[in-house]
Amino acid sequence: MSHPALCGVSLQHLGDLIEELAPRWQARCESGRHNRRQAVRRRPAGAGPKYELVFADRVLATLVHLRTSLTHEALAVLYEVSSSTIGRAITEIRPLLAARGFAVPDRPGLRLRTLEDVFAYAEAEGVGLCIDGTETQVRRPQAHRPGRRAFVSGKRKQNTIKATTISDRQGRTLWSGAFRPGRIHDQTAMRTEGIAELLRRHPTVKAEVDEGYRGLANEFPNQVSAPPRKPKDIDNAPLTERYGWREMRRRQSSRRIRVEHANAEMRQWRPLQRYTGRRDSYHEIHQAVAGLVSDRAAKRATRRRTSTELVLTRTTAC
């Protein structure tokens, strides 16, 4: 069960997760016990009934469920416990994974949890951002239910939940959130998260976006870069103008494609390909998966671009 093909993480990453989450899980369990008994502990630590699954197995079962969407009944057979035990373990571990935030490249121990954290990090480190939306198909709501049409995506013509991903120029996930029903436009989802105000507060942050964020590019032309507009009457335009437009569009797309790669990494996890559970739980599952993906992406070495500027190495006598 600890094979990366099943749990989605390496053995070293799994060990780091167990070490990181164990104190938080223990504190959460102790807080729950304190609320139930409404008093301080009366017996020494370790007394009472023992868990059927140790903490390491609870983390592992949660990762396998997130990676493969294996049912609780199947996991219960593998661990020789009841399905309710597996469900309880997943319910306990999944919120801890979702609350971890997103790893920062070359900054071990530092994690980004809000959109404001991302912009502050980008301004401090001079990091360029790439922004794009992603959609996950969900189950169709029941008939005659209020708000049923809100999840119908105008692009995919399916019931979806939309999220926004922000990565750096090397495709490493820095943030994923702004969850909205599929009918909401990408730009609207980001504006409701306050991205316009963040762009004003951090004027040195640059971002690459696609055609869906044209309004942001028009409002912040020096910060947000969108694909160039198609020239009018392009068929009769001069050859240089047509080739220039295509080359500018290609270059902007090659810079923005990094965030598409970040979305593709998250879609390797089964629930983000097609989610069949309750829509109320999708936000937590998406953030848990995105945090795990960011851990792996942050370990990739930073590729330095060599400068093409001509530098005078030696002065010559006139």
Side-chain angles (χ1 to χ4, degrees):
M1 299 295 288
S2 61
H3 194 280
L6 289 175
C7 66
V9 298
S10 63
L11 292 177
Q12 181 180 0
H13 191 185
L14 177 61
D16 295 340
L17 277 176
I18 294 174
E19 184 178 357
E20 176 188 350
L21 298 180
R24 303 178 188 177
W25 176 76
Q26 187 65 35
R28 185 170 182 173
C29 292
E30 185 60 33
S31 176
R33 298 190 196 101
H34 181 80
N35 293 335
R36 287 194 298 269
R37 61 176 175 254
Q38 296 295 324
V40 298
R41 177 186 287 275
R42 299 176 182 175
R43 292 189 294 178
K50 304 297 185 294
Y51 288 105
E52 293 185 77
L53 283 179
V54 297
F55 177 72
D57 287 336
R58 289 171 177 265
V59 174
L60 193 56
T62 304
L63 292 177
V64 173
H65 177 69
L66 291 176
R67 176 69 172 183
T68 64
S69 289
L70 204 61
T71 62
H72 295 183
E73 289 77 9
L75 288 171
V77 172
L78 294 173
Y79 280 101
E80 298 181 352
V81 295
S82 63
S83 60
S84 60
T85 300
I86 297 294
R88 191 180 306 113
I90 294 175
T91 304
E92 292 176 358
I93 302 300
R94 194 172 62 194
L96 299 179
L97 292 173
R100 294 175 63 241
F102 305 89
V104 179
D106 304 326
R107 295 290 187 273
L110 181 63
R111 304 193 73 85
L112 307 174
R113 290 179 172 83
T114 64
L115 191 59
E116 187 174 358
D117 293 343
V118 176
F119 275 77
Y121 161 73
E123 185 177 42
E125 299 291 336
V127 175
L129 303 179
C130 299
I131 306 174
D132 191 30
T134 178
E135 294 182 85
T136 302
Q137 184 180 353
V138 296
R139 292 192 301 179
R140 187 180 185 185
Q142 297 179 358
H144 310 295
R145 193 169 185 176
R148 189 186 187 199
R149 295 184 58 188
F151 290 90
V152 179
S153 170
K155 178 180 179 180
R156 299 182 58 178
K157 309 302 180 184
Q158 296 173 339
N159 289 265
T160 63
I161 290 181
K162 185 171 294 184
T164 303
T165 302
I166 299 180
S167 72
D168 60 6
R169 296 288 176 83
Q170 300 187 25
R172 296 174 294 194
T173 304
L174 299 178
W175 183 80
S176 188
F179 302 102
R180 298 292 187 275
R183 199 177 185 87
I184 302 298
H185 197 275
D186 293 351
Q187 183 175 230
T188 304
M190 288 303 294
R191 284 188 178 275
T192 54
E193 291 290 323
I195 189 174
E197 181 62 27
L198 289 174
L199 287 170
R200 294 189 186 96
R201 291 169 55 185
H202 303 277
T204 60
V205 175
K206 309 293 184 181
E208 301 285 344
V209 297
D210 62 3
E211 193 65 37
Y213 300 90
R214 171 65 63 184
L216 280 176
N218 294 337
E219 185 176 353
F220 303 95
N222 297 326
Q223 295 179 256
V224 181
S225 172
R229 292 184 178 275
K230 188 176 181 179
K232 296 182 179 179
D233 195 13
I234 190 173
D235 294 334
N236 298 325
L239 188 63
T240 55
E241 185 176 352
R242 282 184 287 170
Y243 283 176
W245 169 73
R246 291 173 183 171
E247 180 63 18
M248 291 174 60
R249 188 178 183 88
R250 185 194 66 80
R251 292 189 179 186
Q252 198 273 346
S253 178
S254 66
R255 296 192 302 266
R256 188 193 58 83
I257 198 65
R258 306 300 192 276
V259 68
E260 299 283 0
H261 297 163
N263 285 330
E265 284 188 273
M266 288 189 286
R267 291 194 191 99
Q268 294 176 4
W269 296 67
R270 183 60 182 170
L272 302 193
Q273 298 174 11
R274 186 179 185 275
Y275 183 65
T276 58
R278 295 177 59 87
R279 295 193 304 275
D280 299 340
S281 303
Y282 177 79
H283 305 172
E284 189 175 85
I285 292 175
H286 185 102
Q287 290 187 325
V289 171
L292 295 171
V293 170
S294 72
D295 291 340
R296 183 174 61 180
K299 295 180 181 179
R300 295 201 294 261
T302 301
R303 297 189 298 271
R304 307 293 182 184
R305 291 188 177 182
T306 58
S307 176
T308 58
E309 182 180 358
L310 295 178
V311 179
L312 185 63
T313 59
R314 184 178 60 181
T315 59
T316 58
C318 297

